[in-house]
Amino acid sequence: MKILRVDMDRLQVEWEPVSPEYERLGGRALIAGIMLAEVPPECDALGPKNKLVFAPGLLGGTNLSSSGRLSVGGKSPLTNGVKEANTGGSGGADLARLGVKALVVEGQPADGKLYQLYISDAGAELLPADDWRGLGTYATAARAQERWGAGCTVISIGQAGEFLMGAAGVACTGVGEQDCRVAARGGLGALMGSKGLKAIVLDAAPGTALAAEPVPLADPELFRASARRFANELIESPKTGRKGAMHTYGTSAIVAAVNEMGAFPTRNFSEGSFEAADNLTGQRLREITLARGGKVGTTCMAGCVIACCNVFVDEAGEPIVSTLQYETIGLLGANLGIGSLDEVARLNRLCNDYGLDSIEAGAALGVAAEAGLARFGDEAGFAALLDEIAAGSVMGRVLGQGAAVAGRVLGVSRVPVAKGQAMPAYDPRALKGNGVTYGTSPMGADHTAGNAFGSRGVVNPLGIEGQRELSLDLQLGAAMLDTTGLCLFSRPPVFGDPQLMVDLLNGRYGWGWSVADLEEMKKSVLRMELEFNEKAGHTAADARMPEYMTREPLPPHNTVFDVPDSEMDAVFAAL
Amino acid sequence: MKILRVDMDRLQVEWEPVSPEYERLGGRALIAGIMLAEVPPECDALGPKNKLVFAPGLLGGTNLSSSGRLSVGGKSPLTNGVKEANTGGSGGADLARLGVKALVVEGQPADGKLYQLYISDAGAELLPADDWRGLGTYATAARAQERWGAGCTVISIGQAGEFLMGAAGVACTGVGEQDCRVAARGGLGALMGSKGLKAIVLDAAPGTALAAEPVPLADPELFRASARRFANELIESPKTGRKGAMHTYGTSAIVAAVNEMGAFPTRNFSEGSFEAADNLTGQRLREITLARGGKVGTTCMAGCVIACCNVFVDEAGEPIVSTLQYETIGLLGANLGIGSLDEVARLNRLCNDYGLDSIEAGAALGVAAEAGLARFGDEAGFAALLDEIAAGSVMGRVLGQGAAVAGRVLGVSRVPVAKGQAMPAYDPRALKGNGVTYGTSPMGADHTAGNAFGSRGVVNPLGIEGQRELSLDLQLGAAMLDTTGLCLFSRPPVFGDPQLMVDLLNGRYGWGWSVADLEEMKKSVLRMELEFNEKAGHTAADARMPEYMTREPLPPHNTVFDVPDSEMDAVFAAL
């Protein structure tokens, strides 16, 4: 595999061998390594010194189930630290099959124009795309697939990324029609916009020679046996198997439980349970979808045995979004006082089309409602605000910058952010482990960086004890998944048996790793990220929940976030 | 003297003896001391844990010339560090004469209403002022003086402070009619707004018993002799005397020189000299003013022997602003491409009335022009934007937050800020010592925190060598002036002979200080502030110029800011 350098200053591409320092890194770890080695941590996140990196995980491109997530990263304009956001879809596998260990976008075009990058087995080339300016991500994908073939993967930004908005994500097509996956968090779409890159087209479609030939394996037998075991465990698990909640209901399976535990963000995080939550549950989503001829149990990546996705359709059976997910239901639903999956799905489609992180945008809309710019529960009002974002009006530019800027500009003090980034759909006053993760993770408030929801039976979510240790453990696990390209949902087999992950890596690369090497890898990811962030200016003062959450009790438990600063500051003591 | 505590939670006032820790602190030093001892550095600057402090300098309330500056401070919503901004006018002297060593405003009113604080020799009381909501500072002062007497000093916020805007300052009436002085920098008006405090009325007017009785002196003879020597030196100096540039032209005396050296911010800091600068000079200001029957050589504080102020009038002889100053001419003039003092004065009046820092507002308007929201040179366009700020529209709220937020929201990369605060009217690419001060001073980009302009003959403003040492020296000097309440213009006698300052302090307080004690005091101010800021999360990454200034050459010298990071980071090595 090679590193593909894209120099936007000179509009040139260059293939580079992988240096020994990067050899054993992938996905999130490779992003951390590149950022630390090549990018001045103090740089302007939207300036020419920052780099935008796309990297498949270490296991990307193989036939391992659920292993094709695409990591996107750089210095975040929201957190001002290193950021990795990953997405399903076909981008991770295709990039790996095209032999790209990392795609590194550098500099900025002097002409201020937009470009597209086309990568196939014949090489890579930068081409003009200024006529795509102002297109949403659906239209961009359609134009690109029209030109390069329907089987191509298209990674793109919408209007939000062009406008350099902090809520802008990077969209990626998936295996199904209308699929829109987003590497959403941290404003990486703005970073892509700052590079003048409208789209990346990966031409490794089914049917080409590339797709047929998976990435090489050092020990095919070990790898295949381990991959089989991995898939079987997922299939046989009551959670991830065909009868499990994940396949049956998708990520929205947890709506009822989070609402029940009082951590479901409602009306700008002012309450923890939503009176209309019953209309937002996974069960309801399944019923509606099946009744209308939509789909449930679809996959975002070819060959995934979990298959947690859906194609949510309107009453006429026309797709609205694929896939409708938990965090979106939380942030664009309860958080906006909206108790209808149709309304959530329509707002979600707007976010996808405009290239917006539905979490950051939903949180900004919640703040806007608190400032009186829309009414909670009013889909049309929120849709109009999203349209302002796409139009680039001053109002839209405020909201498009995300919740923190919106709160500051609009004079709202109840702003659910950590490290400048909006919280996902778990209020940390009722799930305190997540507060520890939001505050301390190098990723900021992020539902995939060490989510304590799944451990609510192990550590009391309302208590203080054990949260610190739990958060660190989950953060290390997340680092491993994000480095190998595995989906968060496929964690049980490798969390339960680390040797399985070691076997997969040894089968793929022949490194002869032990479990100790794997543990060291997990730690090293966090260490690199923490080092970058420290040099970028992060301090303990950033590892805090918003002050109002320490003062304002959250119904129904009426708890505040009270994990002491000393606990927050000790999370990485043993790292 | 006493500390006057104003508890906005319970709407109560309390007089408190001065604790030994605060005894030898005044003005800026006292603010630093109170912040460090009483305010959690990580707190939300606009939340209830922050405190707003008003303090005269150590020599405030005496008859010493130029000693009545009023320090206003707290944790800044712009820099997120401790901030002191001071102002002329009658506030400093009056507060000292009312026996108030510091007025400390704490908490936030639960009812969200506005209040006024009235202080006289009979005591202090909090009274409703919600019917003043939405008034500008001129109208607020008029209402307050109507109620409490024309001789009262009125300290107030305008619409900008009520809207919690980062560009909001704290306005203070002066000795002349229509005088509007502003403790402008750092968004302290927003802090005052967050406390629900619309105005503070100081009733120590000429004619009352209080005014007739100056503050007590420990050694009246020593003090009076030293004060006489101080005044004489100012009067006899070719700079500050009656024939000097300061008295003759006021602060605008330096327009021509800064323009000549290529450091005069022009059209959003894109050039360093302005083709119409001749129309903005101190000479021009004097000519126009005298021809129209305005005034030059007026004072902002009773008894000041320098008298550098003016009453700038329109063609009909009606006052527009009092006083029109250099930084304002730079930021609302050349920086907006405006080459007319009348136009600058009218924009300045709007800023004063709305309670805006003319530096921060001018910088935000420059960024707005770069984003296409107004045309450089178009007064009416900029006035309309200022009106948006006062109206609290979304556009106005963006600009009212200052240059950094405006740049981020509007997608502009050329944003002249340091530590989140707009630069005053010296481009650091052509006056590099100021870049060192902007970056390293605990105050952020501030023209009174260690301004290297006056030392341009000693240290080459375009060179690197000596800037670090110069900046530290100037920062220490500024700390002394801001602690004692002296005007920056009155520095020559005490900079030239530190013993004179020691004699003044010993004459006032009988501390028996030596020059070494004075030197230690200067250092301790910076040390306290740096400690607070470090705990608040400031790091070396904050001690930088905006990245574009290190890359984009500034005409006419075509220099970039190239003082190495290592030099910036070594400024306080010997502190």
Side-chain angles (χ1 to χ4, degrees), chain A residues 3 22 25-35 53 55 101-102 483 528:
Chain A
I3 306 278
Y22 296 160
L25 306 177
R28 177 172 161 184
L30 184 51
I31 287 166
I34 290 172
M35 294 299 292
V53 182
K101 187 170 173 77
T483 295
M528 286 190 287

Side-chain angles (χ1 to χ4, degrees), chain A residues 42 44 408 544 547, chain B residues 42 44 401 408 544 547:
Chain A
E42 294 174 359
D44 178 354
R408 183 162 169 188
R544 300 288 177 262
E547 193 181 301
Chain B
E42 294 173 0
D44 177 355
Q401 283 298 335
R408 182 161 169 189
R544 300 290 177 259
E547 192 179 303

